[in-house]
Amino acid sequence: MSTTRPTSRSATVLAPALAAGALAVLVAALALTVTRGGTLGNSRPLHGWYLADLGLFALAVALLRRVPARQVAGLVLVGSVAVAATGLLAPPRTSDDVYRYVWDGRVQAAGISPYRYAPDDPPLVRLRDPALFPPESSCTAWNERRTATGSCTHINRPAVHTIYPPVAEFWFLGLHMAGGTVRTAQVGGALLAVATTGALLLIRRQDWRAGLWGWFPGIAIWSVNDAHVDTLGALLLVVALGLAARRQAVAGGVALGAAIATKLLPGLALPGAMSGVLARRPRPRDLVLPCSALAAFVLAYLPYVLASGTGVIGYLPGYLREEGYEDGQIARFGLLRLVFPAGWAPYAAALVLAVVVLYVLRRGDPARPWGGALLVTGTALLLVAPAYPWYGLLVVALAALDGRWEWLAVPAAGQALYLLGGDAQQPAYAAALAVVLVGVVVRRLRSVAMVVPS
């Protein structure tokens, strides 16, 4: 059965035109979403806009698949730039994390470790300005809160130390040196998003699958408008897996270690980077990639450890307790709580994830490490059911590498939970799991149909 794309004149002309038209409508819808769709303080208008954006994205990618291969890369890249640009049309609408990024960069530029003090602490008062600490404010906006001293700030959790790992902190310092504003961070997010699209096109040889990342609506919202540093982690992870697929273990390990030192979550991709290692007798060189990753991770932390000691842990333990990751609180493990008591859910999650990791290490394809990385990362998010959709940026990048669009339902579930609240956790993630399973079944049926003789 031939898989060659049609090369007729109609396909050459019509298919790109239709895909470009759908892309233009998607970009217009995203622009309206960002400028008129509401904010986290008034999220109801976003519900309809997000659904429309998702539908238009699905249509645009479906049409992209019919575009002749030689025209795909240019169209995907242009679309990626356009989608990212829509996120620059307004200040952050649904997250205030970027204000902490700006603050951490400013603190480092002043020669102070970002792990040493909380924004509320008196030694940092001299670094305050109206952009982060608005004067004479009623402090009632969705992205404002009171500090311990009664002043108002855009920085979330101003009484606690930063939670971000060192490569993220390097990025924040770089943003400060480039301008040190929220707009600077948004532009940085746009550059990272487009760079990730470029990396995907290079690794997958200019394949349409890069559009799953570059045109995904969450890129405009999470990567650019809200400027989440998770995009940097996604870019480094894509590079790491691309290098691993080419058996460049040292470089791939360094890139993976840097990704983990950006947001920790990319550590879930390590089994994927070592896909199939247990399918044969282990060899010493199998340790090169994980050891390189560990070395890069440790070296990234070293200057901050020397400056702040154990303070580099920051607010991470408090965050885990607050979010319900430690003890199976009602806040997390929604799907598992349908089967197990809440107190058992973390252990059940660990067991399921361990089985998936073992499967990837034994059965994964080392030529396609992103397949195993997607399976482990996507499974982990389904099990934990986070309320922050930008955690799913890793899944979007991995889905674009592997072409398994069904996994995009996982970050979509996170977005639904983020907007609708805790009651939506189980139905949202159950729907995501159903979509993933349907995708698996459909692919299996197609593979069987392809090998059955006619």
Side-chain angles (χ1 to χ4, degrees), residues 23-59:
L23 172 64
V25 177
L26 169 63
V27 169
L30 285 169
L32 292 172
T33 301
V34 170
T35 56
R36 302 183 183 181
T39 67
L40 191 60
N42 177 31
S43 65
R44 185 170 295 276
L46 290 172
H47 302 174
W49 282 110
Y50 283 175
L51 287 174
D53 295 338
L54 192 59
L56 290 169
F57 162 73
L59 174 62

PDB file of all heavy atoms in Angstrom, residues 23-59:
ATOM      1  N   LEU A  23      -5.826  28.160   8.588  1.00  0.00           N
ATOM      2  CA  LEU A  23      -4.853  28.744   9.509  1.00  0.00           C
ATOM      3  C   LEU A  23      -5.152  30.215   9.766  1.00  0.00           C
ATOM      4  O   LEU A  23      -5.078  30.686  10.909  1.00  0.00           O
ATOM      5  CB  LEU A  23      -3.447  28.587   8.925  1.00  0.00           C
ATOM      6  CG  LEU A  23      -2.316  29.302   9.665  1.00  0.00           C
ATOM      7  CD1 LEU A  23      -2.148  28.730  11.070  1.00  0.00           C
ATOM      8  CD2 LEU A  23      -1.012  29.176   8.879  1.00  0.00           C
ATOM      9  N   ALA A  24      -5.502  30.951   8.721  1.00  0.00           N
ATOM     10  CA  ALA A  24      -5.815  32.374   8.878  1.00  0.00           C
ATOM     11  C   ALA A  24      -7.007  32.574   9.805  1.00  0.00           C
ATOM     12  O   ALA A  24      -7.011  33.483  10.651  1.00  0.00           O
ATOM     13  CB  ALA A  24      -6.089  33.000   7.512  1.00  0.00           C
ATOM     14  N   VAL A  25      -8.028  31.733   9.661  1.00  0.00           N
ATOM     15  CA  VAL A  25      -9.195  31.840  10.546  1.00  0.00           C
ATOM     16  C   VAL A  25      -8.804  31.502  11.982  1.00  0.00           C
ATOM     17  O   VAL A  25      -9.242  32.158  12.931  1.00  0.00           O
ATOM     18  CB  VAL A  25     -10.326  30.914  10.056  1.00  0.00           C
ATOM     19  CG1 VAL A  25     -11.507  30.961  11.021  1.00  0.00           C
ATOM     20  CG2 VAL A  25     -10.763  31.308   8.652  1.00  0.00           C
ATOM     21  N   LEU A  26      -7.951  30.485  12.157  1.00  0.00           N
ATOM     22  CA  LEU A  26      -7.473  30.134  13.495  1.00  0.00           C
ATOM     23  C   LEU A  26      -6.717  31.294  14.121  1.00  0.00           C
ATOM     24  O   LEU A  26      -6.939  31.625  15.299  1.00  0.00           O
ATOM     25  CB  LEU A  26      -6.572  28.902  13.408  1.00  0.00           C
ATOM     26  CG  LEU A  26      -5.780  28.546  14.676  1.00  0.00           C
ATOM     27  CD1 LEU A  26      -6.713  28.197  15.828  1.00  0.00           C
ATOM     28  CD2 LEU A  26      -4.815  27.391  14.399  1.00  0.00           C
ATOM     29  N   VAL A  27      -5.838  31.915  13.367  1.00  0.00           N
ATOM     30  CA  VAL A  27      -5.060  33.040  13.895  1.00  0.00           C
ATOM     31  C   VAL A  27      -5.987  34.194  14.286  1.00  0.00           C
ATOM     32  O   VAL A  27      -5.812  34.820  15.338  1.00  0.00           O
ATOM     33  CB  VAL A  27      -4.012  33.498  12.853  1.00  0.00           C
ATOM     34  CG1 VAL A  27      -3.381  34.829  13.267  1.00  0.00           C
ATOM     35  CG2 VAL A  27      -2.942  32.434  12.685  1.00  0.00           C
ATOM     36  N   ALA A  28      -6.985  34.468  13.462  1.00  0.00           N
ATOM     37  CA  ALA A  28      -7.944  35.527  13.788  1.00  0.00           C
ATOM     38  C   ALA A  28      -8.705  35.203  15.068  1.00  0.00           C
ATOM     39  O   ALA A  28      -8.916  36.079  15.929  1.00  0.00           O
ATOM     40  CB  ALA A  28      -8.919  35.723  12.625  1.00  0.00           C
ATOM     41  N   ALA A  29      -9.117  33.952  15.217  1.00  0.00           N
ATOM     42  CA  ALA A  29      -9.835  33.544  16.426  1.00  0.00           C
ATOM     43  C   ALA A  29      -8.945  33.657  17.659  1.00  0.00           C
ATOM     44  O   ALA A  29      -9.386  34.101  18.726  1.00  0.00           O
ATOM     45  CB  ALA A  29     -10.353  32.114  16.268  1.00  0.00           C
ATOM     46  N   LEU A  30      -7.678  33.276  17.530  1.00  0.00           N
ATOM     47  CA  LEU A  30      -6.755  33.390  18.662  1.00  0.00           C
ATOM     48  C   LEU A  30      -6.526  34.848  19.041  1.00  0.00           C
ATOM     49  O   LEU A  30      -6.420  35.188  20.228  1.00  0.00           O
ATOM     50  CB  LEU A  30      -5.421  32.718  18.322  1.00  0.00           C
ATOM     51  CG  LEU A  30      -5.420  31.188  18.329  1.00  0.00           C
ATOM     52  CD1 LEU A  30      -4.128  30.649  17.730  1.00  0.00           C
ATOM     53  CD2 LEU A  30      -5.608  30.671  19.750  1.00  0.00           C
ATOM     54  N   ALA A  31      -6.451  35.717  18.034  1.00  0.00           N
ATOM     55  CA  ALA A  31      -6.281  37.137  18.318  1.00  0.00           C
ATOM     56  C   ALA A  31      -7.466  37.680  19.118  1.00  0.00           C
ATOM     57  O   ALA A  31      -7.298  38.449  20.074  1.00  0.00           O
ATOM     58  CB  ALA A  31      -6.114  37.916  17.008  1.00  0.00           C
ATOM     59  N   LEU A  32      -8.663  37.261  18.743  1.00  0.00           N
ATOM     60  CA  LEU A  32      -9.853  37.688  19.487  1.00  0.00           C
ATOM     61  C   LEU A  32      -9.891  37.057  20.872  1.00  0.00           C
ATOM     62  O   LEU A  32     -10.327  37.684  21.845  1.00  0.00           O
ATOM     63  CB  LEU A  32     -11.106  37.332  18.699  1.00  0.00           C
ATOM     64  CG  LEU A  32     -11.314  38.109  17.392  1.00  0.00           C
ATOM     65  CD1 LEU A  32     -12.489  37.538  16.598  1.00  0.00           C
ATOM     66  CD2 LEU A  32     -11.554  39.596  17.690  1.00  0.00           C
ATOM     67  N   THR A  33      -9.434  35.823  20.974  1.00  0.00           N
ATOM     68  CA  THR A  33      -9.389  35.160  22.280  1.00  0.00           C
ATOM     69  C   THR A  33      -8.501  35.934  23.237  1.00  0.00           C
ATOM     70  O   THR A  33      -8.852  36.157  24.402  1.00  0.00           O
ATOM     71  CB  THR A  33      -8.855  33.722  22.134  1.00  0.00           C
ATOM     72  OG1 THR A  33      -9.703  32.996  21.243  1.00  0.00           O
ATOM     73  CG2 THR A  33      -8.812  33.014  23.479  1.00  0.00           C
ATOM     74  N   VAL A  34      -7.334  36.333  22.760  1.00  0.00           N
ATOM     75  CA  VAL A  34      -6.364  37.017  23.607  1.00  0.00           C
ATOM     76  C   VAL A  34      -6.812  38.428  23.957  1.00  0.00           C
ATOM     77  O   VAL A  34      -6.597  38.902  25.087  1.00  0.00           O
ATOM     78  CB  VAL A  34      -4.986  37.042  22.911  1.00  0.00           C
ATOM     79  CG1 VAL A  34      -4.019  37.963  23.639  1.00  0.00           C
ATOM     80  CG2 VAL A  34      -4.411  35.632  22.836  1.00  0.00           C
ATOM     81  N   THR A  35      -7.453  39.110  23.027  1.00  0.00           N
ATOM     82  CA  THR A  35      -7.807  40.511  23.260  1.00  0.00           C
ATOM     83  C   THR A  35      -9.201  40.704  23.860  1.00  0.00           C
ATOM     84  O   THR A  35      -9.443  41.686  24.564  1.00  0.00           O
ATOM     85  CB  THR A  35      -7.717  41.307  21.948  1.00  0.00           C
ATOM     86  OG1 THR A  35      -8.552  40.688  20.948  1.00  0.00           O
ATOM     87  CG2 THR A  35      -6.280  41.348  21.457  1.00  0.00           C
ATOM     88  N   ARG A  36     -10.126  39.762  23.588  1.00  0.00           N
ATOM     89  CA  ARG A  36     -11.509  39.956  24.037  1.00  0.00           C
ATOM     90  C   ARG A  36     -12.092  38.771  24.800  1.00  0.00           C
ATOM     91  O   ARG A  36     -13.244  38.810  25.234  1.00  0.00           O
ATOM     92  CB  ARG A  36     -12.414  40.231  22.822  1.00  0.00           C
ATOM     93  CG  ARG A  36     -12.010  41.442  22.006  1.00  0.00           C
ATOM     94  CD  ARG A  36     -12.990  41.683  20.868  1.00  0.00           C
ATOM     95  NE  ARG A  36     -12.589  42.790  20.027  1.00  0.00           N
ATOM     96  CZ  ARG A  36     -13.281  43.216  18.975  1.00  0.00           C
ATOM     97  NH1 ARG A  36     -14.412  42.594  18.634  1.00  0.00           N
ATOM     98  NH2 ARG A  36     -12.853  44.234  18.254  1.00  0.00           N
ATOM     99  N   GLY A  37     -11.321  37.731  24.953  1.00  0.00           N
ATOM    100  CA  GLY A  37     -11.869  36.490  25.473  1.00  0.00           C
ATOM    101  C   GLY A  37     -12.069  36.427  26.969  1.00  0.00           C
ATOM    102  O   GLY A  37     -12.576  35.432  27.473  1.00  0.00           O
ATOM    103  N   GLY A  38     -11.635  37.409  27.704  1.00  0.00           N
ATOM    104  CA  GLY A  38     -11.771  37.364  29.150  1.00  0.00           C
ATOM    105  C   GLY A  38     -10.430  37.142  29.820  1.00  0.00           C
ATOM    106  O   GLY A  38      -9.383  37.026  29.163  1.00  0.00           O
ATOM    107  N   THR A  39     -10.450  37.079  31.130  1.00  0.00           N
ATOM    108  CA  THR A  39      -9.252  36.863  31.931  1.00  0.00           C
ATOM    109  C   THR A  39      -9.548  35.788  32.972  1.00  0.00           C
ATOM    110  O   THR A  39     -10.677  35.297  33.066  1.00  0.00           O
ATOM    111  CB  THR A  39      -8.821  38.147  32.647  1.00  0.00           C
ATOM    112  OG1 THR A  39      -9.816  38.487  33.630  1.00  0.00           O
ATOM    113  CG2 THR A  39      -8.655  39.306  31.670  1.00  0.00           C
ATOM    114  N   LEU A  40      -8.540  35.475  33.774  1.00  0.00           N
ATOM    115  CA  LEU A  40      -8.775  34.490  34.825  1.00  0.00           C
ATOM    116  C   LEU A  40      -9.793  35.008  35.836  1.00  0.00           C
ATOM    117  O   LEU A  40     -10.503  34.224  36.467  1.00  0.00           O
ATOM    118  CB  LEU A  40      -7.450  34.165  35.532  1.00  0.00           C
ATOM    119  CG  LEU A  40      -7.479  32.973  36.476  1.00  0.00           C
ATOM    120  CD1 LEU A  40      -7.851  31.696  35.737  1.00  0.00           C
ATOM    121  CD2 LEU A  40      -6.129  32.805  37.172  1.00  0.00           C
ATOM    122  N   GLY A  41      -9.880  36.331  35.964  1.00  0.00           N
ATOM    123  CA  GLY A  41     -10.881  36.897  36.867  1.00  0.00           C
ATOM    124  C   GLY A  41     -12.280  36.881  36.295  1.00  0.00           C
ATOM    125  O   GLY A  41     -13.257  37.025  37.024  1.00  0.00           O
ATOM    126  N   ASN A  42     -12.398  36.718  35.000  1.00  0.00           N
ATOM    127  CA  ASN A  42     -13.696  36.616  34.323  1.00  0.00           C
ATOM    128  C   ASN A  42     -13.527  35.617  33.193  1.00  0.00           C
ATOM    129  O   ASN A  42     -13.428  35.975  32.009  1.00  0.00           O
ATOM    130  CB  ASN A  42     -14.133  37.982  33.792  1.00  0.00           C
ATOM    131  CG  ASN A  42     -15.451  37.907  33.021  1.00  0.00           C
ATOM    132  OD1 ASN A  42     -16.302  37.071  33.319  1.00  0.00           O
ATOM    133  ND2 ASN A  42     -15.608  38.767  32.035  1.00  0.00           N
ATOM    134  N   SER A  43     -13.490  34.344  33.546  1.00  0.00           N
ATOM    135  CA  SER A  43     -13.090  33.310  32.590  1.00  0.00           C
ATOM    136  C   SER A  43     -14.221  32.765  31.735  1.00  0.00           C
ATOM    137  O   SER A  43     -13.957  32.047  30.768  1.00  0.00           O
ATOM    138  CB  SER A  43     -12.440  32.146  33.343  1.00  0.00           C
ATOM    139  OG  SER A  43     -13.376  31.504  34.192  1.00  0.00           O
ATOM    140  N   ARG A  44     -15.457  33.085  32.061  1.00  0.00           N
ATOM    141  CA  ARG A  44     -16.559  32.480  31.311  1.00  0.00           C
ATOM    142  C   ARG A  44     -16.476  32.734  29.810  1.00  0.00           C
ATOM    143  O   ARG A  44     -16.726  31.808  29.019  1.00  0.00           O
ATOM    144  CB  ARG A  44     -17.898  32.975  31.869  1.00  0.00           C
ATOM    145  CG  ARG A  44     -19.107  32.294  31.232  1.00  0.00           C
ATOM    146  CD  ARG A  44     -20.381  32.628  31.982  1.00  0.00           C
ATOM    147  NE  ARG A  44     -20.352  32.084  33.329  1.00  0.00           N
ATOM    148  CZ  ARG A  44     -20.688  30.844  33.646  1.00  0.00           C
ATOM    149  NH1 ARG A  44     -21.057  30.001  32.693  1.00  0.00           N
ATOM    150  NH2 ARG A  44     -20.644  30.433  34.893  1.00  0.00           N
ATOM    151  N   PRO A  45     -16.138  33.955  29.351  1.00  0.00           N
ATOM    152  CA  PRO A  45     -16.046  34.144  27.894  1.00  0.00           C
ATOM    153  C   PRO A  45     -14.989  33.262  27.234  1.00  0.00           C
ATOM    154  O   PRO A  45     -15.082  32.970  26.043  1.00  0.00           O
ATOM    155  CB  PRO A  45     -15.679  35.625  27.758  1.00  0.00           C
ATOM    156  CG  PRO A  45     -16.170  36.263  29.020  1.00  0.00           C
ATOM    157  CD  PRO A  45     -15.964  35.224  30.086  1.00  0.00           C
ATOM    158  N   LEU A  46     -13.988  32.837  28.008  1.00  0.00           N
ATOM    159  CA  LEU A  46     -12.930  32.017  27.437  1.00  0.00           C
ATOM    160  C   LEU A  46     -13.421  30.630  27.045  1.00  0.00           C
ATOM    161  O   LEU A  46     -12.836  29.997  26.158  1.00  0.00           O
ATOM    162  CB  LEU A  46     -11.775  31.872  28.435  1.00  0.00           C
ATOM    163  CG  LEU A  46     -10.939  33.128  28.695  1.00  0.00           C
ATOM    164  CD1 LEU A  46      -9.968  32.887  29.839  1.00  0.00           C
ATOM    165  CD2 LEU A  46     -10.183  33.533  27.425  1.00  0.00           C
ATOM    166  N   HIS A  47     -14.462  30.138  27.687  1.00  0.00           N
ATOM    167  CA  HIS A  47     -14.912  28.773  27.427  1.00  0.00           C
ATOM    168  C   HIS A  47     -15.248  28.575  25.945  1.00  0.00           C
ATOM    169  O   HIS A  47     -14.777  27.641  25.301  1.00  0.00           O
ATOM    170  CB  HIS A  47     -16.130  28.444  28.292  1.00  0.00           C
ATOM    171  CG  HIS A  47     -15.872  28.585  29.758  1.00  0.00           C
ATOM    172  ND1 HIS A  47     -16.872  28.448  30.702  1.00  0.00           N
ATOM    173  CD2 HIS A  47     -14.744  28.837  30.458  1.00  0.00           C
ATOM    174  CE1 HIS A  47     -16.364  28.625  31.917  1.00  0.00           C
ATOM    175  NE2 HIS A  47     -15.076  28.867  31.783  1.00  0.00           N
ATOM    176  N   GLY A  48     -16.057  29.465  25.434  1.00  0.00           N
ATOM    177  CA  GLY A  48     -16.453  29.358  24.029  1.00  0.00           C
ATOM    178  C   GLY A  48     -15.300  29.612  23.081  1.00  0.00           C
ATOM    179  O   GLY A  48     -15.153  28.922  22.066  1.00  0.00           O
ATOM    180  N   TRP A  49     -14.480  30.604  23.399  1.00  0.00           N
ATOM    181  CA  TRP A  49     -13.342  30.914  22.540  1.00  0.00           C
ATOM    182  C   TRP A  49     -12.372  29.742  22.465  1.00  0.00           C
ATOM    183  O   TRP A  49     -11.866  29.401  21.384  1.00  0.00           O
ATOM    184  CB  TRP A  49     -12.622  32.165  23.045  1.00  0.00           C
ATOM    185  CG  TRP A  49     -13.319  33.446  22.698  1.00  0.00           C
ATOM    186  CD1 TRP A  49     -13.963  34.309  23.545  1.00  0.00           C
ATOM    187  CD2 TRP A  49     -13.448  34.010  21.388  1.00  0.00           C
ATOM    188  NE1 TRP A  49     -14.490  35.358  22.855  1.00  0.00           N
ATOM    189  CE2 TRP A  49     -14.183  35.216  21.537  1.00  0.00           C
ATOM    190  CE3 TRP A  49     -13.026  33.628  20.128  1.00  0.00           C
ATOM    191  CZ2 TRP A  49     -14.489  36.023  20.440  1.00  0.00           C
ATOM    192  CZ3 TRP A  49     -13.325  34.442  19.033  1.00  0.00           C
ATOM    193  CH2 TRP A  49     -14.051  35.619  19.195  1.00  0.00           C
ATOM    194  N   TYR A  50     -12.082  29.135  23.601  1.00  0.00           N
ATOM    195  CA  TYR A  50     -11.144  28.011  23.597  1.00  0.00           C
ATOM    196  C   TYR A  50     -11.679  26.833  22.790  1.00  0.00           C
ATOM    197  O   TYR A  50     -10.927  26.169  22.067  1.00  0.00           O
ATOM    198  CB  TYR A  50     -10.843  27.563  25.033  1.00  0.00           C
ATOM    199  CG  TYR A  50      -9.871  28.458  25.775  1.00  0.00           C
ATOM    200  CD1 TYR A  50      -9.595  28.239  27.115  1.00  0.00           C
ATOM    201  CD2 TYR A  50      -9.226  29.508  25.141  1.00  0.00           C
ATOM    202  CE1 TYR A  50      -8.703  29.048  27.813  1.00  0.00           C
ATOM    203  CE2 TYR A  50      -8.333  30.324  25.828  1.00  0.00           C
ATOM    204  CZ  TYR A  50      -8.080  30.085  27.162  1.00  0.00           C
ATOM    205  OH  TYR A  50      -7.187  30.884  27.840  1.00  0.00           O
ATOM    206  N   LEU A  51     -12.966  26.562  22.896  1.00  0.00           N
ATOM    207  CA  LEU A  51     -13.549  25.481  22.105  1.00  0.00           C
ATOM    208  C   LEU A  51     -13.470  25.789  20.612  1.00  0.00           C
ATOM    209  O   LEU A  51     -13.158  24.910  19.794  1.00  0.00           O
ATOM    210  CB  LEU A  51     -15.003  25.255  22.522  1.00  0.00           C
ATOM    211  CG  LEU A  51     -15.225  24.576  23.875  1.00  0.00           C
ATOM    212  CD1 LEU A  51     -16.705  24.564  24.220  1.00  0.00           C
ATOM    213  CD2 LEU A  51     -14.665  23.148  23.856  1.00  0.00           C
ATOM    214  N   ALA A  52     -13.745  27.042  20.257  1.00  0.00           N
ATOM    215  CA  ALA A  52     -13.648  27.439  18.851  1.00  0.00           C
ATOM    216  C   ALA A  52     -12.213  27.316  18.345  1.00  0.00           C
ATOM    217  O   ALA A  52     -11.964  26.812  17.241  1.00  0.00           O
ATOM    218  CB  ALA A  52     -14.147  28.870  18.684  1.00  0.00           C
ATOM    219  N   ASP A  53     -11.276  27.775  19.154  1.00  0.00           N
ATOM    220  CA  ASP A  53      -9.866  27.678  18.766  1.00  0.00           C
ATOM    221  C   ASP A  53      -9.451  26.227  18.550  1.00  0.00           C
ATOM    222  O   ASP A  53      -8.738  25.910  17.580  1.00  0.00           O
ATOM    223  CB  ASP A  53      -8.972  28.296  19.856  1.00  0.00           C
ATOM    224  CG  ASP A  53      -9.194  29.792  20.021  1.00  0.00           C
ATOM    225  OD1 ASP A  53      -9.690  30.426  19.082  1.00  0.00           O
ATOM    226  OD2 ASP A  53      -8.875  30.305  21.111  1.00  0.00           O
ATOM    227  N   LEU A  54      -9.878  25.355  19.440  1.00  0.00           N
ATOM    228  CA  LEU A  54      -9.513  23.945  19.326  1.00  0.00           C
ATOM    229  C   LEU A  54     -10.100  23.321  18.067  1.00  0.00           C
ATOM    230  O   LEU A  54      -9.431  22.558  17.355  1.00  0.00           O
ATOM    231  CB  LEU A  54      -9.986  23.192  20.568  1.00  0.00           C
ATOM    232  CG  LEU A  54      -9.449  21.769  20.750  1.00  0.00           C
ATOM    233  CD1 LEU A  54      -7.931  21.785  20.831  1.00  0.00           C
ATOM    234  CD2 LEU A  54     -10.045  21.139  22.003  1.00  0.00           C
ATOM    235  N   GLY A  55     -11.348  23.643  17.769  1.00  0.00           N
ATOM    236  CA  GLY A  55     -11.972  23.117  16.556  1.00  0.00           C
ATOM    237  C   GLY A  55     -11.282  23.612  15.297  1.00  0.00           C
ATOM    238  O   GLY A  55     -11.057  22.833  14.349  1.00  0.00           O
ATOM    239  N   LEU A  56     -10.939  24.891  15.264  1.00  0.00           N
ATOM    240  CA  LEU A  56     -10.247  25.441  14.104  1.00  0.00           C
ATOM    241  C   LEU A  56      -8.849  24.844  13.958  1.00  0.00           C
ATOM    242  O   LEU A  56      -8.370  24.615  12.843  1.00  0.00           O
ATOM    243  CB  LEU A  56     -10.170  26.968  14.226  1.00  0.00           C
ATOM    244  CG  LEU A  56     -11.504  27.705  14.072  1.00  0.00           C
ATOM    245  CD1 LEU A  56     -11.362  29.158  14.480  1.00  0.00           C
ATOM    246  CD2 LEU A  56     -12.004  27.588  12.632  1.00  0.00           C
ATOM    247  N   PHE A  57      -8.186  24.610  15.075  1.00  0.00           N
ATOM    248  CA  PHE A  57      -6.877  23.962  15.041  1.00  0.00           C
ATOM    249  C   PHE A  57      -6.981  22.566  14.433  1.00  0.00           C
ATOM    250  O   PHE A  57      -6.170  22.190  13.567  1.00  0.00           O
ATOM    251  CB  PHE A  57      -6.318  23.888  16.465  1.00  0.00           C
ATOM    252  CG  PHE A  57      -5.209  22.895  16.644  1.00  0.00           C
ATOM    253  CD1 PHE A  57      -3.944  23.137  16.145  1.00  0.00           C
ATOM    254  CD2 PHE A  57      -5.439  21.698  17.316  1.00  0.00           C
ATOM    255  CE1 PHE A  57      -2.919  22.211  16.308  1.00  0.00           C
ATOM    256  CE2 PHE A  57      -4.431  20.773  17.493  1.00  0.00           C
ATOM    257  CZ  PHE A  57      -3.161  21.031  16.985  1.00  0.00           C
ATOM    258  N   ALA A  58      -7.973  21.796  14.864  1.00  0.00           N
ATOM    259  CA  ALA A  58      -8.152  20.447  14.329  1.00  0.00           C
ATOM    260  C   ALA A  58      -8.402  20.491  12.823  1.00  0.00           C
ATOM    261  O   ALA A  58      -7.844  19.684  12.060  1.00  0.00           O
ATOM    262  CB  ALA A  58      -9.300  19.751  15.046  1.00  0.00           C
ATOM    263  N   LEU A  59      -9.205  21.433  12.388  1.00  0.00           N
ATOM    264  CA  LEU A  59      -9.483  21.555  10.954  1.00  0.00           C
ATOM    265  C   LEU A  59      -8.222  21.937  10.190  1.00  0.00           C
ATOM    266  O   LEU A  59      -7.916  21.357   9.132  1.00  0.00           O
ATOM    267  CB  LEU A  59     -10.570  22.610  10.734  1.00  0.00           C
ATOM    268  CG  LEU A  59     -10.883  22.963   9.273  1.00  0.00           C
ATOM    269  CD1 LEU A  59     -11.401  21.743   8.522  1.00  0.00           C
ATOM    270  CD2 LEU A  59     -11.875  24.118   9.193  1.00  0.00           C
TER     271      LEU A  59
END
